[in-house]
Amino acid sequence: MPKTYTYELTKPRKVNTAVNLLYASLGIGVISSGLFPVGLDEVNSFGSALNDSLYTFFIFGLTLLLYYMIGKGKNWARITFLVFFIMGFPLSIVVLPMYLSLSDPPFISGILFLVQTGMDLVALVFLFQGESSAWFKAIKQSNAHMTETNAPID
């Protein structure tokens, strides 16, 4: 007789809140990049500006996919976001003075940057709390169990 498992697969409120914070943070980033674009005098050529835009859209798309996968319960996405946050946090401390001097009136871009970082940090805390971690584990075990017992063999 196959083993039966009981999992609570209802997404915890903290995971929903974390994912909403991540989407909001990404939205602030999009708005911020539109409000404070790189000046044309800082771009060497149209090709360079086009490459920068393509790179930005690519990173935006990957980030959106990562947040979507976190919302779907993919533990690898949660861990990937944690690693990216840990790697990027020291750099964010270094570039903060630049963000604080970019805008007119002063400090708007820096404040938006700090808000984004704070939202990402709160989201991480929510994603790694006990109830959230248990949900990610349950999703993974549920998917593994379904794969073992219900997947057609080709």
Side-chain angles (χ1 to χ4, degrees):
M1 179 173 209
K3 294 181 182 178
T4 57
Y5 299 93
T6 304
Y7 299 107
E8 180 58 48
L9 296 179
T10 304
K11 190 185 304 183
R13 181 177 294 159
K14 287 192 177 187
V15 172
N16 279 328
T17 301
V19 171
N20 288 336
L21 283 170
L22 292 174
Y23 284 133
S25 173
L26 186 60
I28 290 172
V30 169
I31 292 168
S32 179
S33 66
L35 291 175
F36 312 109
V38 174
L40 291 177
D41 55 335
E42 297 178 28
V43 177
N44 295 332
S45 67
F46 175 74
S48 178
L50 181 61
N51 285 339
D52 288 348
S53 295
L54 290 174
Y55 175 76
T56 300
F57 284 122
F58 178 73
I59 295 299
F60 173 78
L62 284 179
T63 304
L64 196 59
L65 177 65
L66 188 65
Y67 294 170
Y68 175 77
M69 297 308 276
I70 289 170
K72 289 293 182 187
K74 302 298 183 186
N75 196 49
W76 64 263
R78 177 177 75 137
I79 292 168
T80 301
F81 179 65
L82 173 65
V83 170
F84 286 165
F85 185 86
I86 290 170
M87 289 174 22
F89 190 75
L91 179 62
S92 67
I93 293 170
V94 171
V95 299
L96 181 60
M98 179 190 72
Y99 278 105
L100 291 172
S101 66
L102 275 180
S103 61
D104 186 32
F107 300 109
I108 291 177
S109 60
I111 290 169
L112 290 175
F113 182 75
L114 287 172
V115 167
Q116 275 185 274
T117 303
M119 291 170 81
D120 290 347
L121 183 61
V122 170
L124 271 173
V125 169
F126 283 177
L127 289 172
F128 282 90
Q129 287 184 334
E131 181 183 5
S132 300
S133 293
W135 179 74
F136 279 96
K137 184 177 180 180
I139 292 290
K140 185 176 182 177
Q141 289 175 341
S142 172
N143 290 339
H145 178 69
M146 286 177 45
T147 302
E148 292 172 8
T149 60
N150 299 335
I153 299 174
D154 293 326

